[in-house]
């Protein structure tokens, strides 16, 4: 029985599914959502009956659109350096000793795209849309969101993603290596299940050793992320950053240049 409010947790036949359940906010996360995600990941991660974790969002509009801008007032509404323990959430995905699959069913934007980046595997519907929006809304995710992304898609592409804030189709995300496969929306669950069953047939310990060895190469990014969040908390107190949040909430174009 799930005791969560912002997420849904279900573990069945070796697969734990964690669903961000805030469709009215396009599955954006607030402080409480991050805390619940961390708790659920730990539940699944250390449950021996679970061999694979699926992370997704409720509905077809969004996988996750990152930080909840309506819970942002010079910082978010939860705990941690910026009021959103996002760097802890990202590290928890990486630290879990089993594969975490992003099931991407719509927008994976901002911190949602970073979650896709941090997941071990990503399977998307052909309607999914990816991208970073930080510099458009007065934010940036300066750790796994930037440095790991460049490992995943390459330096030039990662810089393009952050410096232009464009949106990318599922096919484009596949071409750049951000995701593993794309399927028609009505085949998403069957495809995710197929990948889960293949993983469940393999040695869990061998997979967990492989996961940790993949992580070893990029774990130093965690330190960059901590430092980055300290800088981000200072940035959030500026007029320039506040303009980004206000403009999003007021559905208008931001004017950053006059505020820097
Ligand atoms: C996702 C996107 C591109 C969708 O655009 P569109 O035009 O299709 O829909 P719209 O009208 O913008 O959004 C639909 C509803 O969802 C809410 C909107 O406010 C709107 O609500 P209503 O007006 O219908 O009531 N919504 C969407 N995203 C939300 C969000 N993140 N927080 C609160 N409400 C949200 C477009 O909506 C978009 O670009 N969203 C902005 C995403 C954003 O700013 N994310 C935060 C980035 S910063 C971050 O994630 C982060 C991090 O990664 C690390 C540290 C700190 C922060």
């Amino acid at each position: 029985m799930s005791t969560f409010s912002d997420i849904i947790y279900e573990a069945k036949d070796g697969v734990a599914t964690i669903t961000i359940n805030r469709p009215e906010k396009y599955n954006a996360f607030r402080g409480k959502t991050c805390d619940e995600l961390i708790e659920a990941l730990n539940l699944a991660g250390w449950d021996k009956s679970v061999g694979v974790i699926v992370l997704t969002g409720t509905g077809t509009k969004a996988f996750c659109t990152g930080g909840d801008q309506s819970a942002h007032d010079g910082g978010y509404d939860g705990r941690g350096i910026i009021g959103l323990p996002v760097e802890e959430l990202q590290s928890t995905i990486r630290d879990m000793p089993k594969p975490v699959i992003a099931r991407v069913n719509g927008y994976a934007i901002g911190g949602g795209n970073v979650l896709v980046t941090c997941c071990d595997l990503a399977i998307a519907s052909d309607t999914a849309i990816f991208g970073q929006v930080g510099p458009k809304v007065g934010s940036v995710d300066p750790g796994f969101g930037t440095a790991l992304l460049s490992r995943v898609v390459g330096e030039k592409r990662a810089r393009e993603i952050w410096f232009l804030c464009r949106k990318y189709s599922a096919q484009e995300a596949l071409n750049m290596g951000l995701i593993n496969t794309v399927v028609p929306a009505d085949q998403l669950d069957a495809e995710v299940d197929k990948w889960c069953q293949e993983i469940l047939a393999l040695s869990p310990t061998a997979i967990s050793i492989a996961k940790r060895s993949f992580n070893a190469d990029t774990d130093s990014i965690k330190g960059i992320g901590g430092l980055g969040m300290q800088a981000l908390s200072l940035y959030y107190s500026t007029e320039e950053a506040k303009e980004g949040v206000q403009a999003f909430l007021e559905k208008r174009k931001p004017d950053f240049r006059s505020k820097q």
Side-chain angles (χ1 to χ4, degrees), residues 165-179:
C165 291
R166 288 180 178 165
K167 295 190 185 79
Y168 300 88
S169 69
Q171 189 58 49
E172 288 172 316
L174 179 67
N175 294 346
M176 66 174 91
L178 179 59
I179 60 175

Side-chain angles (χ1 to χ4, degrees), residues 3-7 20 22 28-40 68 71 76-79 83-86 89:
T3 55
F4 299 114
S5 68
D6 286 16
I7 68 163
I20 303 173
R22 309 189 76 222
F29 46 69
R30 55 180 173 170
K32 187 176 173 56
T33 324
C34 291
D35 281 332
E36 291 189 356
L37 286 169
I38 291 165
E39 191 182 335
D68 181 344
Y76 288 92
D77 66 339
R79 68 185 169 85
L84 201 62
V86 73
L89 169 60

Side-chain angles (χ1 to χ4, degrees), residues 12-260:
K12 198 172 158 226
D13 300 332
V15 180
T17 303
I18 301 172
T19 307
I20 303 173
N21 190 28
R22 309 189 76 222
E24 71 290 353
K25 300 282 182 193
Y26 274 34
N27 296 320
F29 46 69
R30 55 180 173 170
K32 187 176 173 56
T33 324
C34 291
D35 281 332
E36 291 189 356
L37 286 169
I38 291 165
E39 191 182 335
L41 282 160
N42 272 297
L43 259 180
W46 302 107
D47 178 345
K48 282 205 166 169
S49 72
V50 170
V52 57
I53 302 169
V54 175
L55 179 63
T56 192
T58 292
T60 53
K61 291 260 185 340
F63 164 77
C64 173
T65 56
D68 181 344
Q69 296 293 23
S70 60
H72 188 311
D73 184 16
Y76 288 92
D77 66 339
R79 68 185 169 85
I81 304 166
I82 59 160
L84 201 62
V86 73
E87 73 280 22
E88 187 182 324
L89 169 60
Q90 295 158 3
S91 292
T92 306
I93 291 172
R94 287 167 57 87
D95 291 344
M96 288 306 102
K98 50 198 68 168
V100 182
I101 302 178
R103 172 192 174 276
V104 189
N105 46 317
Y107 283 113
I109 292 285
N113 193 58
V114 182
L115 294 181
V116 172
T117 305
C118 290
C119 283
D120 299 284
L121 301 164
I123 301 173
S125 111
D126 55 3
T127 55
I129 295 174
F130 299 80
Q132 296 298 156
V133 288
K136 219 188 225 175
V137 296
S139 191
V140 59
D141 193 334
F144 291 122
T146 50
L148 182 64
L149 183 67
S150 78
R151 290 294 188 96
V152 173
V153 302
E155 275 275 339
K156 286 283 187 287
R157 216 24 134 163
R159 286 169 198 249
E160 172 193 313
I161 290 169
W162 276 96
F163 296 168
L164 280 76
C165 291
R166 288 180 178 165
K167 295 190 185 79
Y168 300 88
S169 69
Q171 189 58 49
E172 288 172 316
L174 179 67
N175 294 346
M176 66 174 91
L178 179 59
I179 60 175
N180 296 83
T181 192
V182 184
V183 292
D186 63 356
Q187 290 167 33
L188 183 59
D189 285 326
E191 188 68 18
V192 170
D193 188 52
K194 185 166 157 251
W195 286 57
C196 288
Q197 295 312 318
E198 286 187 40
I199 290 167
L200 288 171
L202 303 175
S203 161
T205 306
I207 287 179
S208 117
I209 294 169
K211 174 162 176 170
R212 291 197 187 287
S213 67
F214 282 123
N215 285 356
D217 185 39
T218 48
D219 265 356
S220 63
I221 295 172
K222 187 173 176 175
I224 301 170
L227 180 63
M229 289 299 153
Q230 295 288 350
L232 187 59
S233 75
L234 295 176
Y235 172 54
Y236 279 167
S237 67
T238 67
E239 291 308 310
E240 183 183 336
K242 287 177 184 170
E243 167 66 5
V245 179
Q246 270 318 110
F248 176 75
L249 294 175
E250 292 166 14
K251 297 186 186 286
R252 62 169 172 82
K253 264 188 136 173
D255 170 18
F256 290 118
R257 301 219 152 260
S258 67
K259 314 274 183 196
Q260 63 187 326

